[in-house]
Amino acid sequence: MVQMLRSRSTTDSEGELSVGEVRANGLCMKTTEVEAKLDEGNIEEAESSLREGLSLNFEEARALLGRLEYQRGNVEGALRVFDGIDLQAAIQRLQPSFSERLHPRKGRSRIESLITVSQHAAGLVLEAIYLKAKSLQKLGRLTEAAHECKSVLDAVERIFHHGIPNVQVDSKLQETVSQAVELFPELWKQAGCYHEAMSAYRRALLSQWNLDNDCCARIQKGFAVFLLYSGVEAAPPSLAVQMDGSYVPRNNLEEAILLLMILMKKIYLGKTKWDPSVMEHLTFALSLCSQTSVLAKQLEEVMPGVFHRVDRWITLALCYSGAGQNSTSLNLLRKSLHKHERPDDLMALLLAAKICSEDSLLAAEGVGYAQRAISNTQGTDHHFKGVGLRMLGLCLAKQSKASLSDAERARLQSEALKKLNEAVPFERDNLDLIFELGVQYAEHRNLNVALRYAKRFIDATGGSISKGWRLLVMILSAQQRFSEAEAVTDAALNVTAKWEQGPLLRLKAKLKISESLPMDAIETFCSLLALAQAQRKSLGPRPSVHQVDDDRVNEFEVWYGVATLYSSLSHWRDAEICLGKARELKEYSVELLHAEGVKFEGHGQIQEALAAYINALLLDPGYVPCKILIGALLLKMGSKAFPVVRSLLSDALRIEPTNRMAWYYLGMAHRDDGRIADATDCFQAASILEESDPIESFSSIL
Amino acid sequence: MSETIPTTSDSSSLDSISKVQSTIQALSHIVTVVPPSLSSSPNPSLALLHDPQITSQISSLLRQPNSGAGDNNLCRWLYDTFQSSDPNLQLVVLRFIPIIAGVYLSRVLRKHLAGFEAVLLALYAHETTSRAGQAITVNVPDLSHSSIYHETKAPLKKDDTEQNLAVVSPSLEPHGTVRSSRRARIVGVALELYYSKISQMPVGSKVDFCEFCVVWAGQNGDMYKEGGVQEKGISGTTESEKEREVNEGRIPLPWELLQPVLRILGHCLMGPTKNKELSEAASAACRSLYARSLHDIDPKAILATESLLRLGKLELQSNNDFDPTDIPKSHLITL
């Protein structure tokens, strides 16, 4: 009875290690004598001295010699020794003894001993082949090495028909099998045979090799990395391994993500130890697919103590913000920026400021984050100063929208422009900044400067970004340069693919309305509807939940636009048809109630009109057009209603300070009340605004 | 380390060889020196792909200030070579995509570059046809569904709840010209095609790509080098000059362009064949793109570039000597 043991404790740092002793069958001998013979090239003599010294048979002695040579670092010598054994014949001999174990009626102990003996023999032979493969690998003969390694696996599969059972397997044999399973794909990979490597990985992971958790995790990670980065597309797994109802990856990314998620799960379950790179690979893979919300879920499952909590919060904030869930993201950032956590983290401050800059109610908070960010841009972070200033400018501009007094609004607006301009020297080539300056100047009604920025943005982007064209058209329309605006729209349509022409066509229709060309406008609306229908056909009825289609035409908006146009022409029947179409798409909306009210008013049904407007306000208390219309209606009802009218219109102006219709009716209210000076001011404001009124509000474009 | 060598053993090889010969013949009118070994090579298209002399000549022609015009001979040659529909010759064209895309995107605002556009559109059309215009999607797995890699083979949950379907590359519509709003997408698709063949691309081509990433990012990423900036301000002027040069090529990086860029960078950094020059170039590109994504405060881009940066660092720190497939060393062998 021979058995193999090994001591792991002594590993030299000097690389190759000299073996001191070999032991077998209760005998022991020093290796110096054998090694001397090997050095002289006398394999036969070395072999016979081992056979005599340890009473071994030929194969055992050869296997031992090979291992001795391998471990001494003499891989060429090891190869010569292994070549002397007919390993294939040895494998052939192994099989019958194993098939006996399939007859369960025989004496238990006899079979067990038989199995152990055969397993020992198998272990010896397989280790020899394995070491041969390793020797070939070290010599750079990778394809040959892969073939040797494959023969180990083939032999194991022939010996164990139903996979390796996890009991009754000699630990030595199992170790060789595991190593061979792990080495096999690695060899093909090193040999540059990527398709073979793919199938080797699959074979390793989809057959029963009884691998331990760490070994299996290493192979899974190796395969995931290979799938993610090799650039070679794997064929889908064979039908044989596919199970009914189970998930089968169809491409590299799916398979890599699946493996990495399984690895993460093994880590939580404590089956294998934490490996930071697994999380990084998963982050990379999921962000490539824009699935950062899935990534957030994975991060939330990571056990406490692995990441610092602030790091985790910030990464989660990035994930949620990337998935469009900005309020969740902001909550996480608030936690991490708390004074007891990491109040000076630049990335968190900047992201928080950016999120706040998109909401007028949060903008004031964002100003604080941006200011903290700016004061933290020292040393190597100096290059962020411009980003901080830019965010500060955007937050101030947004904050001005929510301010209650004119004076404060004006102050915030000019402050915003100042900060954006301060950012320019730092972010000279940042095109977003140029665009934002254009929008801010336009909102400030400094149209000539705004025009310059809009043109610069278009030049610098080569007209590749549609919002640049839209801004230019809106600025030109505010300057009442309609024909130029139309020419720009046509130029923009020319460089824009059909699919993305929606917003431009919408502008064009509005331009036509402003030019009092209703029939042309209706024609443009028709092409918008055609586009909407084409998009619906190819993209499906509704925009997908996770991926927002910016290019998609809003069909509701189009029908509503046509309806408004018809009702302005008093074509009530046509208007009604269009409203019906719009209602099919969205049943309850302020716009529809607004349009209905206009229709009632047109028919002289004042009470019904008023009811419709008030319903609209109940739906959205901040809906400015209805506030103005109610004001206008009440104005006609006599002096008792004047205070209500004034408060409605002032409210409208608080929300939209540049709404000329609000100024106009407020002027009317003052006039009817006898305050002529106030009325004059309001009319003047309305008239100035009319001269600089864009066809769409400037802030709609940011 | 040996590269995979596609063998041309089928019956059509004669036809393909004559195609390659005429391609090389055509090239000899454009570049000054065509090594005679090229035609006599057993696999001329592979030799063409890897020949350093030819590569450097074509590269410098592509980088010339007047390259890429509609009547440019080299662009015509690249276009014709790609249209030959010989997969090995197409690889030769793809090899130069980093330079073509790089020069094109940085220069197109000032110049009309019909030659480059023709090549890029040919690639785009090829990809559109081979995908039948379909989008590439990923069905993000959910571990509560059993899968081929689950250890317990019983289906855990039968009812098929919604899975996350992610669009990796949206559907493609045919384009006959490069409309500026589709420019990023067309170049992005050309890069997707490049990525699909990247394992056959020579290292030099990938290095070119990484260098252009730095230019496109327009942001110096040296502060994210391992151990921070060491040699800061050796001479103020050269640094700002370098900065200037980097900034001039800065371009908008919408996701449709950035996503394929990041996939290619992932390969350059973590791919199966390790090369020192390539991984240094790829790390520099990652640093620049990371800095850029921070300046843009683009969460998805920050996550992706940051993970690549960290993986690059982990790779450096990892103990390369440890080989789990090697047998443990011991002073004592016991049988």
Side-chain angles (χ1 to χ4, degrees), chain A residues 227-435:
Chain A
L227 286 163
L228 267 183
Y229 308 107
S230 66
V232 182
E233 193 59 35
S238 72
L239 285 168
V241 297
Q242 302 186 5
M243 273 189 27
D244 215 21
S246 74
Y247 173 83
V248 181
R250 294 165 310 155
N251 56 39
N252 279 18
L253 264 173
E254 286 182 2
E255 198 160 357
I257 293 171
L258 174 65
L259 286 166
L260 291 169
M261 283 181 165
I262 288 178
L263 277 170
M264 287 302 289
K265 189 151 194 184
K266 281 186 179 168
I267 293 170
Y268 318 141
L269 296 175
K271 283 186 177 173
T272 176
K273 64 176 192 308
W274 168 250
D275 176 351
S277 68
V278 173
M279 194 67 220
E280 300 300 340
H281 290 301
L282 191 57
T283 306
F284 180 69
L286 286 172
S287 9
L288 276 188
C289 324
S290 308
Q291 291 292 309
T292 50
S293 56
V294 179
L295 179 61
K297 239 182 267 166
Q298 292 288 321
L299 268 167
E300 279 163 357
E301 283 178 23
V302 175
M303 292 294 163
V306 172
F307 292 123
H308 189 282
R309 63 175 180 277
V310 179
D311 288 331
R312 173 155 36 183
W313 288 334
I314 293 176
T315 315
L316 275 173
L318 285 169
C319 289
Y320 283 117
S321 172
Q325 301 177 39
N326 276 341
S327 65
T328 316
S329 175
L330 185 60
N331 280 335
L332 288 158
L333 291 171
R334 283 177 181 141
K335 273 155 86 89
S336 51
L337 289 170
H338 188 272
K339 65 173 189 281
H340 294 314
E341 302 292 348
R342 212 178 289 163
D344 296 335
D345 190 284
L346 252 183
M347 198 212 289
L349 286 167
L350 291 174
L351 182 59
K354 187 189 178 200
I355 292 172
C356 291
S357 76
E358 287 158 17
D359 183 338
S360 57
L361 296 176
L362 294 171
E365 187 183 338
V367 169
Y369 295 136
Q371 280 164 341
R372 270 157 72 186
I374 294 167
S375 63
N376 279 313
T377 50
Q378 279 126 11
T380 52
D381 288 329
H382 185 65
H383 62 109
F384 281 123
K385 188 156 188 191
V387 188
L389 285 166
R390 189 180 138 220
M391 286 304 133
L392 182 56
L394 291 179
C395 285
L396 286 166
K398 202 74 185 176
Q399 194 190 356
S400 75
K401 297 247 185 303
S403 60
L404 293 173
S405 76
D406 276 347
E408 188 179 73
R409 182 180 315 117
R411 184 184 65 78
L412 288 170
Q413 266 183 357
S414 52
E415 188 77 355
L417 271 175
K418 197 174 135 209
K419 293 300 168 192
L420 287 176
N421 276 315
E422 274 176 39
V424 172
F426 296 95
E427 297 274 295
R428 201 176 294 281
D429 304 282
N430 191 329
L431 298 178
D432 290 322
L433 179 60
I434 293 171
F435 180 79

Side-chain angles (χ1 to χ4, degrees), chain A residues 44 66 78 102 128 191 219 281 388 399 422 615 677 699:
Chain A
E44 273 81 24
L102 297 172
I219 299 173
H281 290 301
Q399 194 190 356
E422 274 176 39
N615 281 340
S699 54

Side-chain angles (χ1 to χ4, degrees), chain A residues 28-65:
Chain A
C28 168
M29 69 184 284
K30 294 265 178 230
T31 55
T32 36
E33 190 195 336
V34 184
E35 284 182 60
K37 283 182 180 154
L38 283 173
D39 289 340
E40 289 161 18
N42 289 327
I43 299 177
E44 273 81 24
E45 278 182 39
E47 175 208 315
S48 61
S49 76
L50 268 183
R51 287 174 71 171
E52 282 161 28
L54 300 169
S55 53
L56 300 172
N57 67 27
F58 165 75
E59 275 156 13
E60 287 169 332
R62 279 279 171 147
L64 201 57
L65 269 186

Side-chain angles (χ1 to χ4, degrees), chain B residues 39 64 149:
Chain B
S39 308
Q64 270 177 7
Y149 292 118

